Amino acid sequence: MERKEFQLHDIVEMKKPHPCGENRWKVIRMGMDIRVKCEGCGHSVMIPRKRFEQKMKKVLVHAE
């Protein structure tokens, strides 16, 4: 399986939307766990890296 490329402050799309209806998440912390923040309601969650890579669909906006 190919590793997905993403970096800090990227906006990513997940396979399932957040309960608030938004499907855009901002990567705000990277390590063994990835912390992402919902662009709709501002809720943040920490997900293990392997699970995040499985659930991430694509990068919508690359950080500069």
Side-chain angles (χ1 to χ4, degrees):
M1 187 172 108
E2 142 189 1
R3 286 199 69 113
K4 297 184 179 173
E5 296 294 322
F6 57 92
Q7 55 187 339
L8 195 60
H9 303 297
D10 279 355
I11 305 293
V12 298
E13 181 181 356
M14 303 299 274
K15 290 182 180 173
K16 290 187 176 181
H18 191 246
C20 74
E22 187 63 54
N23 204 16
R24 294 168 51 97
W25 296 80
K26 183 174 186 176
V27 178
I28 57 174
R29 182 183 183 276
M30 290 180 63
M32 281 300 293
D33 296 322
I34 308 294
R35 182 176 292 274
V36 290
K37 183 176 182 180
C38 178
E39 291 285 289
C41 65
H43 182 78
S44 68
V45 292
M46 189 171 269
I47 308 169
R49 179 180 286 267
K50 185 175 181 180
R51 185 148 183 214
F52 176 79
E53 289 176 352
Q54 291 171 347
K55 292 185 175 281
M56 185 182 88
K57 191 183 267 186
K58 63 183 175 183
V59 176
L60 298 173
V61 179
H62 288 282
E64 294 182 16

